[in-house]
């Protein structure tokens, strides 16, 4: 079967965190392109409702599994998207050890699986790896101002480790890896209480409350709508570029 999309061939694709906010939208897009999708989620932060509409889709299969544990997959795999991780401050501060484990052991497990299956691998990293920027405008070549024992270190350091894993496997073992640093994504299926500015503003407005402004209000953010983020992830996966995007 040939479909219109990023690749002419139908692929078998694994997505960890497939029931999450971005992962469920990515699953929708790849299925719409005609691919077979194997979704992995332990539902620590993912929602069954995000993928309920896919239960009758013959090209989608869901496995409830914690990526910290070894995973065996029958048959071939062409692509692996690793999105499994608590991603909002509320979530990863409530699951500190689990966050460290999924971004460390989970990344390691999926890189090993990618090598065994000769699959291309993408790690969903984060703007948090830069730490607390010293300048208001972050440069792409900024290596960051990080605190390995800070209150967000469980997320920041584990994502930095995940990037290091991807590059080590690429440089030493020839793994076909991709790294994407995601910034401030918003859209449908976000948790209403995830502590992020867009959901805080929306739900304050819906509740007829004042919009909560932290600090003096001069901060800036770059926001990305979820469909654009997914387009970027798929484009990065299909591009020949191994450095962080």
């Amino acid at each position: 079967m040939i479909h219109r999309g990023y690749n002419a061939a139908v692929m078998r694709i694994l997505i960890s965190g497939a029931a999450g906010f971005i992962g469920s939208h990515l699953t929708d897009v790849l299925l719409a392109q005609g691919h077979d999708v194997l979704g992995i989620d332990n539902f620590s932060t993912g929602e069954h409702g995000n993928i309920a509409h896919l239960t009758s889709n013959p090209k989608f299969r869901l496995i409830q599994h914690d990526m910290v544990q070894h995973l065996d997959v029958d048959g071939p795999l062409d692509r692996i998207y690793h999105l499994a991780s608590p991603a909002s401050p509320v979530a990863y501060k409530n699951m500190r050890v689990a966050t460290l484990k999924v971004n460390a052991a989970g990344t390691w497990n999926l890189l090993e699986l990618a090598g065994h299956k000769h699959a291309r691998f993408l790690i969903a990293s984060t703007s948090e790896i830069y730490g607390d920027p010293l300048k208001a405008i972050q440069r792409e070549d900024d290596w960051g101002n990080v605190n390995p024992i800070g209150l967000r270190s469980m997320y920041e350091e584990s994502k930095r480790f995940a990037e290091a894993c991807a590059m080590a496997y690429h440089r030493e073992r020839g793994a076909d890896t991709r790294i994407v640093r995601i910034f401030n994504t918003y859209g449908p299926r976000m948790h209403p209480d995830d502590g992020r500015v867009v959901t805080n503003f929306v739900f304050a407005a819906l509740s007829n409350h004042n919009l909560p402004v932290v600090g003096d209000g001069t901060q800036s953010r770059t926001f990305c709508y979820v469909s654009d983020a997914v387009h970027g992830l798929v484009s990065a996966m299909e591009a020949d570029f191994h450095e962080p995007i």
Side-chain angles (χ1 to χ4, degrees):
M1 175 170 57
I2 302 298
H3 70 93
R4 299 181 186 275
Y6 291 87
N7 195 306
V10 171
M11 294 181 286
R12 190 166 187 244
I13 299 171
L14 184 149
I15 302 174
S16 73
F21 163 46
I22 297 178
S24 62
H25 286 281
L26 175 63
T27 300
D28 286 343
V29 166
L30 293 173
L31 287 170
Q33 292 178 358
H35 300 301
D36 295 304
V37 175
L38 178 62
I40 312 294
D41 212 295
N42 70 348
F43 295 97
S44 60
T45 59
E47 297 281 351
H48 287 278
N50 290 344
I51 54 173
H53 60 289
L54 301 176
T55 54
S56 62
N57 189 325
K59 298 184 75 65
F60 177 70
R61 178 187 171 202
L62 174 68
I63 297 178
Q64 186 165 341
H65 180 82
D66 188 341
M67 281 314 313
V68 172
Q69 306 300 322
H70 175 73
L71 176 68
D72 284 321
V73 175
D74 294 331
L77 286 175
D78 300 293
R79 302 285 189 268
I80 296 175
Y81 289 85
H82 183 26
L83 279 73
S85 173
S88 72
V90 170
Y92 57 68
K93 287 180 180 179
N94 287 333
M95 293 180 280
R96 297 172 185 271
V97 174
T99 299
L100 285 164
K101 284 184 174 182
V102 74
N103 287 312
T107 301
W108 201 311
N109 286 335
L110 283 176
L111 280 164
E112 288 287 327
L113 180 63
H116 178 65
K117 298 291 187 179
H118 306 289
R120 187 175 295 174
F121 174 90
L122 182 147
I123 177 69
S125 188
T126 172
S127 60
E128 298 282 359
I129 64 100
Y130 296 103
D132 188 10
L134 295 174
K135 298 179 181 179
I137 303 299
Q138 270 178 260
R139 291 175 53 88
E140 294 256 353
D141 56 3
D142 183 1
W143 287 355
N145 176 44
V146 301
N147 179 359
I149 59 169
L151 293 178
R152 295 190 177 194
S153 59
M154 79 298 290
Y155 188 61
E156 297 169 354
E157 296 300 314
S158 63
K159 286 294 190 180
R160 289 166 68 87
F161 179 77
E163 289 194 13
C165 282
M167 290 308 300
Y169 272 75
H170 172 66
R171 290 167 174 151
E172 182 176 313
R173 300 188 180 181
D176 194 8
T177 58
R178 308 288 187 272
I179 299 169
V180 176
R181 294 173 181 167
I182 298 174
F183 282 67
N184 299 303
T185 304
Y186 71 100
R189 303 177 190 165
M190 292 184 77
H191 284 287
D193 58 351
D194 69 1
R196 302 186 202 194
V197 63
V198 172
T199 48
N200 286 348
F201 280 4
V202 168
F203 280 91
L206 291 174
S207 303
N208 200 30
H209 294 152
N210 292 332
L211 302 187
V213 177
V214 179
D216 60 8
T218 62
Q219 307 95 314
S220 63
R221 291 289 186 275
T222 300
F223 293 105
C224 184
Y225 193 66
V226 64
S227 59
D228 295 320
V230 168
H231 177 79
L233 288 170
V234 179
S235 297
M237 178 67 94
E238 300 309 319
D240 186 17
F241 190 76
H242 303 283
E243 300 292 326
I245 298 174

